Amino acid sequence: MKQTIGFDAKRIVSNTTGLGSYGRTLVNDLIRRADNDVDFLLYAPNEGRDDMRQQIQLDQRSRFVYPYNLGFRFPVSGLTSYWRTHGIVSDLQRDGVQLYHGLSGELPIGLRNAGIRGVVTIHDLIFLRHPEYYPWIDAKLYAWKFHRTLQEADRIIAISQRTKVDIMEFGDVTPERISVVYQSYNPRFSLTSTADALAAVRQRYQLPERFILNVGTIERRKNLRLAVEALSLLPPDIHLVAVGRPTKYAKTLPQNPRFHILSGVPDADLAAIYNLAEVFVYPSRYEGFGIPIIEAIAAGLPVVACTGSCLEEAGGPANLYVNPDDVGGFAEAIRCMLRDAAGRTVRIQKSQQYIQRFRGLDVASQVLDIYRSLL
């Protein structure tokens, strides 16, 4: 029997970082893995960015759906927000959607009353665990959406055991309603760039010969200060390159001529930057998962990260984890991962074996099993 599954595709078409990457990778893998009698409809408030939208490998069973019935092609923000939380339900009914997957922690109001099964992926509950990292009103709004979504969801996907524990604690949810399905990574990070491509990227961004790498929004919770301060304890030819969108927090970081920030780096160049780096550092104080760690491992890098959340789940036991306030310990861990350090190659090999559990089609199979159990 024909089945039609809908997705919240807002971040698929507009977000270049974790939530967008999660949605694009998962949907592409689902399209490749699913039976021919399953249709996929991707509901977005507008076309978003061409480069993001075009990463979805559509076939005859899949297409984007936009709220053009609101009366104009690019609805204003308030109307699109209302559509995502309320009006979309009538569109789902019109299109015969039997199951709707909220890929970024939200489900529309009225989904359950409309008889449509609801699955939601919750990436983290940092706004509840650490509300100090958010404006007060934002934390309250996110908390309201979380509790409202729980009322619509038939099944909750947590992207880590840490996130599952947080959902149970803050949402008073029984463990039977939650399935842990780890986030998959894009297979392009496992491909080694050609020598010419590496040279071009190094020249384009004026990258130093030796550098440690961080990828992610440069904000207070990500704790990049730890890596910047550790830099002074490392050999003088080691630089730190941070790739990500800077916030006001970036201006508070110590000045160091060996510290470089790159923003607006396209996906096509990111894999090459991983290939050029020597060690990946991820000093975040709290994460729901930490997909850049897996991307770095896939690209052949050892990882130094911090304790306190779920980063050990992402990176596995062969990498090193340090207290997020221990500058000396962080620097020493990096030294243990530099080129020619004893055991570095073995650590990388073990880590790459570990992340095989996050391969895309395996993740897609787990999600399809959840869909089948509800349909």
Side-chain angles (χ1 to χ4, degrees):
M1 186 177 71
K2 194 75 170 178
Q3 295 178 342
T4 304
I5 296 171
F7 298 93
D8 177 3
K10 174 186 176 181
R11 287 177 172 81
I12 284 178
V13 301
S14 63
N15 192 309
T16 62
T17 54
L19 294 179
S21 176
Y22 170 81
R24 289 186 292 273
T25 302
L26 177 60
V27 168
N28 279 332
D29 290 338
L30 289 171
I31 291 173
R32 286 195 292 269
R33 173 69 78 175
D35 296 333
N36 290 330
D37 60 352
V38 181
D39 289 344
F40 297 104
L41 304 184
L42 286 73
Y43 291 83
N46 52 53
E47 282 93 339
R49 291 176 45 165
D50 289 345
D51 58 330
M52 298 291 101
R53 186 181 67 257
Q54 290 171 6
Q55 290 182 35
I56 298 298
Q57 298 163 8
L58 298 175
D59 63 9
Q60 69 278 6
R61 300 170 299 139
S62 54
R63 62 184 172 90
F64 282 96
V65 181
Y66 307 106
Y68 296 157
N69 59 330
L70 289 178
F72 37 93
R73 187 168 180 77
F74 293 101
V76 295
S77 176
L79 287 178
T80 59
S81 295
Y82 179 84
W83 176 73
R84 284 185 72 229
T85 57
H86 294 82
I88 192 174
V89 174
S90 60
D91 289 352
L92 299 177
Q93 291 177 302
R94 174 201 65 202
D95 297 335
V97 170
Q98 297 150 292
L99 182 148
Y100 184 76
H101 188 164
L103 295 169
S104 55
E106 298 180 48
L107 287 174
I109 295 172
L111 193 69
R112 185 180 291 272
N113 287 341
I116 300 170
R117 294 287 196 169
V119 174
V120 63
T121 297
I122 295 181
H123 298 260
D124 63 68
L125 294 180
I126 300 171
F127 52 87
L128 291 170
R129 178 65 69 185
H130 289 288
E132 67 271 19
Y133 293 129
Y134 296 82
W136 179 86
I137 189 63
D138 288 351
K140 293 297 183 183
L141 176 61
Y142 297 153
W144 178 83
K145 287 183 176 181
F146 165 64
H147 291 291
R148 192 67 187 80
T149 289
L150 294 182
Q151 299 177 38
E152 303 290 350
D154 294 287
R155 185 68 56 84
I156 301 161
I157 293 176
I159 65 167
S160 68
Q161 291 290 342
R162 176 71 263 171
T163 296
K164 178 177 180 177
V165 169
D166 285 351
I167 295 168
M168 293 167 59
E169 177 179 343
F170 290 107
D172 193 25
V173 177
T174 60
E176 293 76 21
R177 287 183 65 194
I178 308 170
S179 300
V180 175
V181 181
Y182 288 109
Q183 185 172 349
S184 57
Y185 64 93
N186 193 308
R188 74 176 184 277
F189 293 106
S190 299
L191 304 176
T192 302
S193 302
T194 66
D196 287 345
L198 293 176
V201 168
R202 189 185 294 278
Q203 177 65 29
R204 186 175 303 131
Y205 299 103
Q206 294 295 291
L207 294 171
E209 184 63 30
R210 300 185 70 190
F211 65 93
I212 59 177
L213 176 67
N214 172 263
V215 174
T217 303
I218 304 171
E219 58 182 336
R220 185 161 63 103
R221 173 174 58 86
K222 300 289 189 177
N223 194 33
L224 189 59
R225 175 180 294 274
L226 181 69
V228 178
E229 292 179 350
L231 192 60
S232 63
L233 303 177
L234 296 172
D237 61 336
I238 298 295
H239 292 240
L240 169 62
V241 174
V243 177
R245 178 179 60 84
T247 66
K248 292 180 180 179
Y249 168 79
K251 297 179 180 179
T252 72
L253 296 174
Q255 297 297 306
N256 189 317
R258 293 189 284 144
F259 171 45
H260 317 272
I261 296 177
L262 303 179
S263 58
V265 175
D267 275 2
D269 290 345
L270 185 56
I273 293 176
Y274 276 120
N275 289 159
L276 290 166
E278 194 159 332
V279 179
F280 186 77
V281 294
Y282 206 64
S284 181
R285 292 184 179 276
Y286 205 88
E287 294 290 331
F289 187 46
I291 192 64
I293 287 178
I294 298 174
E295 294 172 351
I297 293 170
L301 290 179
V303 173
V304 177
C306 283
T307 58
S309 58
C310 65
L311 300 183
E312 296 94 334
E313 280 188 69
N319 289 298
L320 298 178
Y321 308 90
V322 180
N323 183 288
D325 294 307
D326 185 357
V327 175
F330 202 75
E332 182 57 31
I334 293 171
R335 283 181 177 274
C336 293
M337 296 296 204
L338 293 174
R339 287 175 189 154
D340 301 325
R344 181 181 190 270
T345 300
V346 174
R347 288 183 182 276
I348 293 171
Q349 290 172 345
K350 289 183 177 179
S351 297
Q352 291 185 324
Q353 292 170 2
Y354 176 83
I355 66 168
Q356 292 307 303
R357 67 195 65 196
F358 306 130
R359 289 182 62 188
L361 292 180
D362 294 333
V363 173
S365 294
Q366 295 176 62
V367 173
L368 284 171
D369 285 343
I370 292 172
Y371 295 167
R372 293 186 189 105
S373 73
L374 296 173
L375 294 175

